[in-house]
Amino acid sequence: RKKTVEAALFPNYIFVRTTSKERYHVLNIYGVSRYIYFDGKPVTISEKEIEMIMKIAVEPGVTVEPEIEVGDCVSIMDGAFAGMKGVVFERKGKTRFGVRISAINQYLSFEVNSSSLRKEEPSACSCADH
């Protein structure tokens, strides 16, 4: 059995078109808590970027990928190793996936495409104490 679930492209974000004079009215809307700030100013998204988001959002299968960095705990989403949890590291400029064999305190690793990875909470990985 398969179930289709609709999810927001950017969960917990609302895009608003407003002026600096009207900006604080948006904060009076139930559920809105704050603006995202960078360098002390609210983040603005260009019309071109909004148009791009709107075009992409209607395509099936589009997802927003979290930024995966060296040291992050991840799980592999597809392929022969789907479901494995481990840590991301880099060797010779290549992204690698490592799992710890705790009984012998050794790591196994292999090269992995970062698009196959999903970020996990550190507590979900057996590699959390790396």
Side-chain angles (χ1 to χ4, degrees), residues 24-50:
Y24 297 101
H25 295 294
V26 174
L27 296 174
N28 291 326
I29 298 171
Y30 178 78
V32 175
S33 61
R34 65 183 175 274
Y35 283 97
I36 304 298
Y37 281 83
F38 184 73
D39 283 340
K41 298 176 188 166
V43 172
T44 57
I45 299 176
S46 71
E47 288 294 324
K48 188 176 182 178
E49 290 171 315
I50 292 291

PDB file of all heavy atoms in Angstrom, residues 24-50:
ATOM      1  N   TYR A  24       5.675  44.995  10.355  1.00  0.00           N
ATOM      2  CA  TYR A  24       5.280  44.546  11.690  1.00  0.00           C
ATOM      3  C   TYR A  24       3.824  44.062  11.755  1.00  0.00           C
ATOM      4  O   TYR A  24       3.464  43.327  12.663  1.00  0.00           O
ATOM      5  CB  TYR A  24       5.571  45.636  12.718  1.00  0.00           C
ATOM      6  CG  TYR A  24       7.054  45.887  12.772  1.00  0.00           C
ATOM      7  CD1 TYR A  24       7.625  46.975  12.127  1.00  0.00           C
ATOM      8  CD2 TYR A  24       7.906  44.980  13.409  1.00  0.00           C
ATOM      9  CE1 TYR A  24       9.001  47.178  12.145  1.00  0.00           C
ATOM     10  CE2 TYR A  24       9.277  45.169  13.427  1.00  0.00           C
ATOM     11  CZ  TYR A  24       9.817  46.264  12.791  1.00  0.00           C
ATOM     12  OH  TYR A  24      11.170  46.453  12.791  1.00  0.00           O
ATOM     13  N   HIS A  25       3.001  44.417  10.763  1.00  0.00           N
ATOM     14  CA  HIS A  25       1.624  43.911  10.721  1.00  0.00           C
ATOM     15  C   HIS A  25       1.607  42.391  10.519  1.00  0.00           C
ATOM     16  O   HIS A  25       0.730  41.706  11.047  1.00  0.00           O
ATOM     17  CB  HIS A  25       0.821  44.592   9.613  1.00  0.00           C
ATOM     18  CG  HIS A  25       0.627  46.058   9.824  1.00  0.00           C
ATOM     19  ND1 HIS A  25      -0.116  46.567  10.860  1.00  0.00           N
ATOM     20  CD2 HIS A  25       1.110  47.128   9.132  1.00  0.00           C
ATOM     21  CE1 HIS A  25      -0.097  47.886  10.806  1.00  0.00           C
ATOM     22  NE2 HIS A  25       0.645  48.255   9.768  1.00  0.00           N
ATOM     23  N   VAL A  26       2.571  41.887   9.773  1.00  0.00           N
ATOM     24  CA  VAL A  26       2.634  40.449   9.509  1.00  0.00           C
ATOM     25  C   VAL A  26       2.843  39.680  10.808  1.00  0.00           C
ATOM     26  O   VAL A  26       2.306  38.592  11.002  1.00  0.00           O
ATOM     27  CB  VAL A  26       3.757  40.133   8.493  1.00  0.00           C
ATOM     28  CG1 VAL A  26       3.934  38.631   8.306  1.00  0.00           C
ATOM     29  CG2 VAL A  26       3.461  40.799   7.152  1.00  0.00           C
ATOM     30  N   LEU A  27       3.586  40.251  11.737  1.00  0.00           N
ATOM     31  CA  LEU A  27       3.859  39.568  13.006  1.00  0.00           C
ATOM     32  C   LEU A  27       2.614  39.435  13.881  1.00  0.00           C
ATOM     33  O   LEU A  27       2.625  38.668  14.847  1.00  0.00           O
ATOM     34  CB  LEU A  27       4.960  40.302  13.771  1.00  0.00           C
ATOM     35  CG  LEU A  27       6.329  40.305  13.080  1.00  0.00           C
ATOM     36  CD1 LEU A  27       7.310  41.171  13.847  1.00  0.00           C
ATOM     37  CD2 LEU A  27       6.866  38.899  12.908  1.00  0.00           C
ATOM     38  N   ASN A  28       1.540  40.148  13.544  1.00  0.00           N
ATOM     39  CA  ASN A  28       0.284  40.042  14.288  1.00  0.00           C
ATOM     40  C   ASN A  28      -0.594  38.887  13.805  1.00  0.00           C
ATOM     41  O   ASN A  28      -1.639  38.624  14.388  1.00  0.00           O
ATOM     42  CB  ASN A  28      -0.504  41.354  14.215  1.00  0.00           C
ATOM     43  CG  ASN A  28       0.183  42.467  14.979  1.00  0.00           C
ATOM     44  OD1 ASN A  28       0.805  42.228  16.003  1.00  0.00           O
ATOM     45  ND2 ASN A  28       0.078  43.677  14.467  1.00  0.00           N
ATOM     46  N   ILE A  29      -0.167  38.211  12.748  1.00  0.00           N
ATOM     47  CA  ILE A  29      -0.923  37.077  12.217  1.00  0.00           C
ATOM     48  C   ILE A  29      -0.639  35.856  13.089  1.00  0.00           C
ATOM     49  O   ILE A  29       0.518  35.554  13.403  1.00  0.00           O
ATOM     50  CB  ILE A  29      -0.540  36.801  10.751  1.00  0.00           C
ATOM     51  CG1 ILE A  29      -0.891  38.019   9.888  1.00  0.00           C
ATOM     52  CG2 ILE A  29      -1.222  35.533  10.238  1.00  0.00           C
ATOM     53  CD1 ILE A  29      -0.374  37.940   8.471  1.00  0.00           C
ATOM     54  N   TYR A  30      -1.707  35.156  13.481  1.00  0.00           N
ATOM     55  CA  TYR A  30      -1.573  33.973  14.327  1.00  0.00           C
ATOM     56  C   TYR A  30      -0.629  32.962  13.677  1.00  0.00           C
ATOM     57  O   TYR A  30      -0.772  32.627  12.508  1.00  0.00           O
ATOM     58  CB  TYR A  30      -2.941  33.333  14.566  1.00  0.00           C
ATOM     59  CG  TYR A  30      -2.847  32.076  15.399  1.00  0.00           C
ATOM     60  CD1 TYR A  30      -2.683  32.152  16.783  1.00  0.00           C
ATOM     61  CD2 TYR A  30      -2.890  30.839  14.801  1.00  0.00           C
ATOM     62  CE1 TYR A  30      -2.574  31.002  17.548  1.00  0.00           C
ATOM     63  CE2 TYR A  30      -2.795  29.683  15.551  1.00  0.00           C
ATOM     64  CZ  TYR A  30      -2.627  29.772  16.928  1.00  0.00           C
ATOM     65  OH  TYR A  30      -2.516  28.637  17.678  1.00  0.00           O
ATOM     66  N   GLY A  31       0.342  32.488  14.428  1.00  0.00           N
ATOM     67  CA  GLY A  31       1.276  31.484  13.938  1.00  0.00           C
ATOM     68  C   GLY A  31       2.580  32.053  13.418  1.00  0.00           C
ATOM     69  O   GLY A  31       3.550  31.332  13.268  1.00  0.00           O
ATOM     70  N   VAL A  32       2.611  33.338  13.135  1.00  0.00           N
ATOM     71  CA  VAL A  32       3.842  33.966  12.662  1.00  0.00           C
ATOM     72  C   VAL A  32       4.618  34.441  13.877  1.00  0.00           C
ATOM     73  O   VAL A  32       4.092  35.154  14.724  1.00  0.00           O
ATOM     74  CB  VAL A  32       3.544  35.157  11.713  1.00  0.00           C
ATOM     75  CG1 VAL A  32       4.835  35.879  11.330  1.00  0.00           C
ATOM     76  CG2 VAL A  32       2.797  34.679  10.479  1.00  0.00           C
ATOM     77  N   SER A  33       5.876  34.026  13.977  1.00  0.00           N
ATOM     78  CA  SER A  33       6.633  34.391  15.176  1.00  0.00           C
ATOM     79  C   SER A  33       7.725  35.426  14.903  1.00  0.00           C
ATOM     80  O   SER A  33       8.004  36.256  15.757  1.00  0.00           O
ATOM     81  CB  SER A  33       7.247  33.154  15.819  1.00  0.00           C
ATOM     82  OG  SER A  33       8.142  32.526  14.931  1.00  0.00           O
ATOM     83  N   ARG A  34       8.368  35.357  13.743  1.00  0.00           N
ATOM     84  CA  ARG A  34       9.463  36.296  13.486  1.00  0.00           C
ATOM     85  C   ARG A  34       9.876  36.251  12.018  1.00  0.00           C
ATOM     86  O   ARG A  34       9.513  35.347  11.288  1.00  0.00           O
ATOM     87  CB  ARG A  34      10.662  35.982  14.364  1.00  0.00           C
ATOM     88  CG  ARG A  34      11.307  34.648  14.073  1.00  0.00           C
ATOM     89  CD  ARG A  34      12.454  34.340  15.033  1.00  0.00           C
ATOM     90  NE  ARG A  34      12.993  33.028  14.820  1.00  0.00           N
ATOM     91  CZ  ARG A  34      12.540  31.919  15.359  1.00  0.00           C
ATOM     92  NH1 ARG A  34      11.497  31.953  16.151  1.00  0.00           N
ATOM     93  NH2 ARG A  34      13.085  30.768  15.111  1.00  0.00           N
ATOM     94  N   TYR A  35      10.666  37.225  11.648  1.00  0.00           N
ATOM     95  CA  TYR A  35      11.295  37.255  10.335  1.00  0.00           C
ATOM     96  C   TYR A  35      12.670  36.602  10.448  1.00  0.00           C
ATOM     97  O   TYR A  35      13.272  36.582  11.518  1.00  0.00           O
ATOM     98  CB  TYR A  35      11.490  38.697   9.848  1.00  0.00           C
ATOM     99  CG  TYR A  35      10.231  39.340   9.329  1.00  0.00           C
ATOM    100  CD1 TYR A  35       9.464  40.156  10.140  1.00  0.00           C
ATOM    101  CD2 TYR A  35       9.822  39.135   8.022  1.00  0.00           C
ATOM    102  CE1 TYR A  35       8.310  40.742   9.673  1.00  0.00           C
ATOM    103  CE2 TYR A  35       8.669  39.729   7.544  1.00  0.00           C
ATOM    104  CZ  TYR A  35       7.919  40.529   8.371  1.00  0.00           C
ATOM    105  OH  TYR A  35       6.770  41.108   7.906  1.00  0.00           O
ATOM    106  N   ILE A  36      13.171  36.111   9.336  1.00  0.00           N
ATOM    107  CA  ILE A  36      14.539  35.606   9.287  1.00  0.00           C
ATOM    108  C   ILE A  36      15.432  36.808   8.999  1.00  0.00           C
ATOM    109  O   ILE A  36      15.186  37.562   8.058  1.00  0.00           O
ATOM    110  CB  ILE A  36      14.692  34.548   8.161  1.00  0.00           C
ATOM    111  CG1 ILE A  36      13.693  33.408   8.318  1.00  0.00           C
ATOM    112  CG2 ILE A  36      16.128  34.043   8.105  1.00  0.00           C
ATOM    113  CD1 ILE A  36      13.832  32.607   9.575  1.00  0.00           C
ATOM    114  N   TYR A  37      16.456  36.989   9.812  1.00  0.00           N
ATOM    115  CA  TYR A  37      17.367  38.123   9.681  1.00  0.00           C
ATOM    116  C   TYR A  37      18.759  37.664   9.295  1.00  0.00           C
ATOM    117  O   TYR A  37      19.201  36.576   9.676  1.00  0.00           O
ATOM    118  CB  TYR A  37      17.479  38.878  11.012  1.00  0.00           C
ATOM    119  CG  TYR A  37      16.320  39.801  11.275  1.00  0.00           C
ATOM    120  CD1 TYR A  37      15.131  39.330  11.810  1.00  0.00           C
ATOM    121  CD2 TYR A  37      16.420  41.157  10.987  1.00  0.00           C
ATOM    122  CE1 TYR A  37      14.060  40.167  12.049  1.00  0.00           C
ATOM    123  CE2 TYR A  37      15.361  42.010  11.224  1.00  0.00           C
ATOM    124  CZ  TYR A  37      14.186  41.509  11.757  1.00  0.00           C
ATOM    125  OH  TYR A  37      13.140  42.360  11.990  1.00  0.00           O
ATOM    126  N   PHE A  38      19.441  38.502   8.533  1.00  0.00           N
ATOM    127  CA  PHE A  38      20.848  38.303   8.198  1.00  0.00           C
ATOM    128  C   PHE A  38      21.509  39.666   8.224  1.00  0.00           C
ATOM    129  O   PHE A  38      21.011  40.613   7.604  1.00  0.00           O
ATOM    130  CB  PHE A  38      20.989  37.653   6.809  1.00  0.00           C
ATOM    131  CG  PHE A  38      22.403  37.344   6.447  1.00  0.00           C
ATOM    132  CD1 PHE A  38      23.068  36.291   7.053  1.00  0.00           C
ATOM    133  CD2 PHE A  38      23.081  38.113   5.525  1.00  0.00           C
ATOM    134  CE1 PHE A  38      24.376  36.006   6.736  1.00  0.00           C
ATOM    135  CE2 PHE A  38      24.388  37.843   5.196  1.00  0.00           C
ATOM    136  CZ  PHE A  38      25.047  36.784   5.794  1.00  0.00           C
ATOM    137  N   ASP A  39      22.585  39.794   8.972  1.00  0.00           N
ATOM    138  CA  ASP A  39      23.282  41.074   9.147  1.00  0.00           C
ATOM    139  C   ASP A  39      22.346  42.161   9.676  1.00  0.00           C
ATOM    140  O   ASP A  39      22.414  43.320   9.245  1.00  0.00           O
ATOM    141  CB  ASP A  39      23.941  41.541   7.841  1.00  0.00           C
ATOM    142  CG  ASP A  39      25.228  40.793   7.531  1.00  0.00           C
ATOM    143  OD1 ASP A  39      25.811  40.199   8.461  1.00  0.00           O
ATOM    144  OD2 ASP A  39      25.650  40.814   6.362  1.00  0.00           O
ATOM    145  N   GLY A  40      21.433  41.784  10.555  1.00  0.00           N
ATOM    146  CA  GLY A  40      20.549  42.755  11.190  1.00  0.00           C
ATOM    147  C   GLY A  40      19.387  43.229  10.339  1.00  0.00           C
ATOM    148  O   GLY A  40      18.636  44.105  10.749  1.00  0.00           O
ATOM    149  N   LYS A  41      19.212  42.652   9.147  1.00  0.00           N
ATOM    150  CA  LYS A  41      18.119  43.053   8.255  1.00  0.00           C
ATOM    151  C   LYS A  41      17.292  41.824   7.891  1.00  0.00           C
ATOM    152  O   LYS A  41      17.837  40.731   7.745  1.00  0.00           O
ATOM    153  CB  LYS A  41      18.673  43.664   6.969  1.00  0.00           C
ATOM    154  CG  LYS A  41      19.473  44.919   7.176  1.00  0.00           C
ATOM    155  CD  LYS A  41      20.067  45.381   5.854  1.00  0.00           C
ATOM    156  CE  LYS A  41      21.038  46.525   6.109  1.00  0.00           C
ATOM    157  NZ  LYS A  41      21.867  46.780   4.952  1.00  0.00           N
ATOM    158  N   PRO A  42      15.973  42.016   7.708  1.00  0.00           N
ATOM    159  CA  PRO A  42      15.156  40.879   7.265  1.00  0.00           C
ATOM    160  C   PRO A  42      15.653  40.370   5.909  1.00  0.00           C
ATOM    161  O   PRO A  42      16.034  41.162   5.041  1.00  0.00           O
ATOM    162  CB  PRO A  42      13.752  41.459   7.123  1.00  0.00           C
ATOM    163  CG  PRO A  42      13.760  42.727   7.895  1.00  0.00           C
ATOM    164  CD  PRO A  42      15.173  43.222   7.887  1.00  0.00           C
ATOM    165  N   VAL A  43      15.664  39.076   5.759  1.00  0.00           N
ATOM    166  CA  VAL A  43      16.104  38.477   4.500  1.00  0.00           C
ATOM    167  C   VAL A  43      15.080  38.791   3.426  1.00  0.00           C
ATOM    168  O   VAL A  43      13.871  38.684   3.651  1.00  0.00           O
ATOM    169  CB  VAL A  43      16.260  36.947   4.669  1.00  0.00           C
ATOM    170  CG1 VAL A  43      16.532  36.276   3.331  1.00  0.00           C
ATOM    171  CG2 VAL A  43      17.354  36.642   5.668  1.00  0.00           C
ATOM    172  N   THR A  44      15.553  39.188   2.273  1.00  0.00           N
ATOM    173  CA  THR A  44      14.649  39.424   1.141  1.00  0.00           C
ATOM    174  C   THR A  44      14.999  38.447   0.027  1.00  0.00           C
ATOM    175  O   THR A  44      16.162  38.098  -0.173  1.00  0.00           O
ATOM    176  CB  THR A  44      14.763  40.866   0.608  1.00  0.00           C
ATOM    177  OG1 THR A  44      16.113  41.123   0.232  1.00  0.00           O
ATOM    178  CG2 THR A  44      14.345  41.868   1.661  1.00  0.00           C
ATOM    179  N   ILE A  45      13.972  38.015  -0.653  1.00  0.00           N
ATOM    180  CA  ILE A  45      14.134  37.111  -1.783  1.00  0.00           C
ATOM    181  C   ILE A  45      13.677  37.852  -3.022  1.00  0.00           C
ATOM    182  O   ILE A  45      12.593  38.438  -3.036  1.00  0.00           O
ATOM    183  CB  ILE A  45      13.308  35.820  -1.569  1.00  0.00           C
ATOM    184  CG1 ILE A  45      13.814  35.125  -0.307  1.00  0.00           C
ATOM    185  CG2 ILE A  45      13.414  34.905  -2.773  1.00  0.00           C
ATOM    186  CD1 ILE A  45      13.036  33.903   0.064  1.00  0.00           C
ATOM    187  N   SER A  46      14.503  37.812  -4.048  1.00  0.00           N
ATOM    188  CA  SER A  46      14.204  38.560  -5.272  1.00  0.00           C
ATOM    189  C   SER A  46      12.986  37.978  -5.987  1.00  0.00           C
ATOM    190  O   SER A  46      12.626  36.810  -5.799  1.00  0.00           O
ATOM    191  CB  SER A  46      15.410  38.542  -6.212  1.00  0.00           C
ATOM    192  OG  SER A  46      15.571  37.247  -6.768  1.00  0.00           O
ATOM    193  N   GLU A  47      12.369  38.804  -6.819  1.00  0.00           N
ATOM    194  CA  GLU A  47      11.223  38.338  -7.630  1.00  0.00           C
ATOM    195  C   GLU A  47      11.637  37.168  -8.513  1.00  0.00           C
ATOM    196  O   GLU A  47      10.876  36.222  -8.690  1.00  0.00           O
ATOM    197  CB  GLU A  47      10.687  39.489  -8.501  1.00  0.00           C
ATOM    198  CG  GLU A  47       9.945  40.559  -7.731  1.00  0.00           C
ATOM    199  CD  GLU A  47       8.648  40.045  -7.115  1.00  0.00           C
ATOM    200  OE1 GLU A  47       7.971  39.215  -7.735  1.00  0.00           O
ATOM    201  OE2 GLU A  47       8.344  40.470  -5.990  1.00  0.00           O
ATOM    202  N   LYS A  48      12.845  37.234  -9.038  1.00  0.00           N
ATOM    203  CA  LYS A  48      13.350  36.166  -9.904  1.00  0.00           C
ATOM    204  C   LYS A  48      13.429  34.838  -9.138  1.00  0.00           C
ATOM    205  O   LYS A  48      13.041  33.793  -9.652  1.00  0.00           O
ATOM    206  CB  LYS A  48      14.731  36.557 -10.442  1.00  0.00           C
ATOM    207  CG  LYS A  48      15.285  35.637 -11.476  1.00  0.00           C
ATOM    208  CD  LYS A  48      16.597  36.189 -12.005  1.00  0.00           C
ATOM    209  CE  LYS A  48      17.149  35.291 -13.088  1.00  0.00           C
ATOM    210  NZ  LYS A  48      18.388  35.812 -13.658  1.00  0.00           N
ATOM    211  N   GLU A  49      13.902  34.890  -7.888  1.00  0.00           N
ATOM    212  CA  GLU A  49      13.981  33.682  -7.074  1.00  0.00           C
ATOM    213  C   GLU A  49      12.591  33.153  -6.720  1.00  0.00           C
ATOM    214  O   GLU A  49      12.363  31.942  -6.733  1.00  0.00           O
ATOM    215  CB  GLU A  49      14.782  33.939  -5.796  1.00  0.00           C
ATOM    216  CG  GLU A  49      16.269  34.135  -6.054  1.00  0.00           C
ATOM    217  CD  GLU A  49      17.026  34.606  -4.840  1.00  0.00           C
ATOM    218  OE1 GLU A  49      16.538  35.537  -4.146  1.00  0.00           O
ATOM    219  OE2 GLU A  49      18.109  34.058  -4.578  1.00  0.00           O
ATOM    220  N   ILE A  50      11.659  34.050  -6.423  1.00  0.00           N
ATOM    221  CA  ILE A  50      10.280  33.640  -6.125  1.00  0.00           C
ATOM    222  C   ILE A  50       9.664  32.962  -7.337  1.00  0.00           C
ATOM    223  O   ILE A  50       9.031  31.909  -7.215  1.00  0.00           O
ATOM    224  CB  ILE A  50       9.418  34.850  -5.662  1.00  0.00           C
ATOM    225  CG1 ILE A  50       9.885  35.359  -4.301  1.00  0.00           C
ATOM    226  CG2 ILE A  50       7.940  34.504  -5.650  1.00  0.00           C
ATOM    227  CD1 ILE A  50       9.612  34.420  -3.142  1.00  0.00           C
TER     228      ILE A  50
END
